[in-house]
Amino acid sequence: QVRLEEFGGGSVQAGGSLRISCAVSGSTISRFYMGWFRQAQGKEREGVAALGFRETTTYADAVKGRFTIFQENDKNTLYLQMNTLKPEDTGMYYCAAARRRYSGIDAADFDYWGQGTQVTVSS
């Protein structure tokens, strides 16, 4: 069975950096299109970044230029490099996998989800 497990969340000061990862098991990561979502306290879940065909990337406007999504197929792992972090970036970050890639970063397009890892950015 396909499983996604996030690692690397924690607390960081504003302006700092953090890298979170998502380990894929039960299948190979190359079989899916991968993405990151986040949910702040009292807010709806929102798309952060996604990988598509031929390693194309899609980012939410709020993180564009600061976050980078990438994966290492030999490690079966997805990453989100977060730089110049802001308090507004605080939330639970979820890894997700889609069997088919659609435009944008819509949660409805993704088939598998991790449990999430907490990222807290202090001012």
Side-chain angles (χ1 to χ4, degrees):
Q1 188 62 245
V2 177
R3 293 184 297 276
L4 308 178
E5 297 178 274
E6 299 95 338
F7 301 93
S11 298
V12 63
Q13 292 183 339
S17 298
L18 196 66
R19 180 180 291 184
I20 56 176
S21 60
C22 170
V24 177
S25 60
S27 188
T28 57
I29 196 169
S30 61
R31 294 177 61 90
F32 304 101
Y33 297 102
M34 305 297 297
W36 287 100
F37 295 77
R38 69 185 181 187
Q39 186 169 21
Q41 188 74 28
K43 302 289 186 179
E44 297 293 323
R45 186 172 299 185
E46 63 177 349
V48 175
L51 290 166
F53 183 66
R54 289 185 174 179
E55 300 180 353
T56 56
T57 57
T58 303
Y59 295 96
D61 289 342
V63 308
K64 195 171 299 182
R66 299 188 297 117
F67 290 12
T68 303
I69 183 173
F70 64 99
Q71 67 187 47
E72 296 183 351
N73 290 347
D74 60 339
K75 297 180 179 179
N76 229 29
T77 300
L78 174 75
Y79 301 90
L80 184 68
Q81 177 67 46
M82 301 179 286
N83 298 326
T84 320
L85 282 161
K86 305 174 180 179
E88 305 94 278
D89 296 317
T90 294
M92 287 291 295
Y93 282 71
Y94 299 90
C95 171
R99 290 175 292 194
R100 180 178 177 181
R101 180 74 174 106
Y102 295 89
S103 298
I105 322 173
D106 192 334
D109 295 331
F110 288 78
D111 305 292
Y112 305 98
W113 294 84
Q115 295 298 310
T117 186
Q118 177 69 34
V119 173
T120 302
V121 184
S122 61
S123 57

